[in-house]
Amino acid sequence: MAHDDQFTALGPPLAGSGFPRAAFSTKATGMVYGGNVQGVRAGMYAESSRGNTDREADVEGVGVFGVGDNFGIFGKIVPSPGRPGIAGLFGQHNRGGVGAIGATMRGGIGVVGTSVQALANPLETFGSGPGPGDGSGTGVLGTSGSGVGVHGISHSAEGVHGESAQGDAVVGHSTGGRGGRFQSGRTAAGTPIGQIGLVPQPLSVSGRVTASPTMYVSTALELLPAEGSGGDLLVTQSDDGTCALWFCTNSAQQDRRAVWREVLLGPAPVQQAVELVDWTVVEGDPATGTAQGTWHGADVRLVGPMGTGSAVDGSFGGFSSNAFTPSLPSSDAVEIRGGTAHAFTLTFAAAIKDPVLYLASMGSIMQFPAGTEVTLVSGQGMSVSGSTVTGLAGPVDSSGTIRLTGVFTTISFTATTNVPTPGVIDGILLQIGGVPA
């Protein structure tokens, strides 16, 4: 039963009585508040749910308690003239508490801040999680004058996790302090834990040499900061572009400067120069030609179909363009012939490591044995897939440099002309080099 001090709308919704389909609505102009309500447990209980609920706010002292199948409370900005719109939702606390809390039970996400190109239907955009994150704005912004801008805490996982597909995952920048400060604890046994953990990248390098590191003269210490705390790391760069790493071993005191020491490094590794084959004799033959030469003081032999365009006097300049790495102003070259699976065999009396093949005017498909690791060092119109090197025939055939990874005494391959017309012969200029195994 309705009373003068309590009202209940039972429906059905009728047209002409305020806003259609609304149990209560206003149309009056000049009102300061569209609705001004107060309650002991909740100022407003609003629900949009097809589930069975008791229509009760289960937390006391709530201004607005929202329950929904999709969103409990949804804030949306539609800017009007003179009011550009500030935020879809705002939480405020005037006594040093928390402005907004996002909480979830079990494995959900407490707060999602994301930037998207288009919101579209929010139910679709955020129906399965934090959304695509494909916008150009800031997902989460935390600012403070003298407090902490963003504070992440976890009892057993990452306190803050940064992830990026193309950019830097975490960036720290300060105009008056350090870009980053890291403090660690100790293990259960009481031993210290490193302040920073770097996950190693695999690098297949064998062999180490004893090196004599170099260091700056003592006058460089006068240019280092007088301030510093023990444990600080500082990277400097000199006028010639050389970077140095400094470690603070003693903090600055009232009567002394901080003590910095250069982290001494070994010399930069020098890439071993590739030694090229010195071809001496080429017997061209369209079926089974031979080429003889020397490499690292030992014999080299190449057998397979060959043309007559070889050069054994160092006069060939076809490897001098930027298609080759390193380019060769002049060199020997052997003309091999691509046809229908023409087979070739290179034999080295001295083992060669990571051989480099220069291929000029190659309009063929070169196939090495399965499992051979082939890398395209540089090239024009040339591609590598697995153990297959593909050159394109045309007005200008492909050219480039490839590298075979490993140690070899024998290299076998086939060359098949890459044109639809059967039987066409492709002349390829070849040179090979490497370093001793």
Side-chain angles (χ1 to χ4, degrees), residues 114-120 125-126 130-137:
T114 187
S115 173
V116 294
Q117 293 283 10
L119 279 172
T125 303
F126 301 102
D134 56 2
S136 58

Side-chain angles (χ1 to χ4, degrees), residues 41-69:
R41 190 175 186 86
M44 172 69 71
Y45 179 96
E47 178 179 311
S48 175
S49 174
R50 291 184 174 88
N52 295 322
T53 69
D54 56 8
R55 300 283 297 274
E56 290 285 343
D58 49 22
V59 178
E60 294 185 355
V62 177
V64 175
F65 192 95
V67 177
D69 286 333

Side-chain angles (χ1 to χ4, degrees), residues 278-283 291-292 309-316 331-334:
D278 179 14
W279 297 105
T280 54
V281 178
V282 177
E283 298 178 357
Q292 301 280 352
S310 302
V312 296
D313 58 356
S315 62
F316 182 73
S331 168
D332 289 348
V334 177

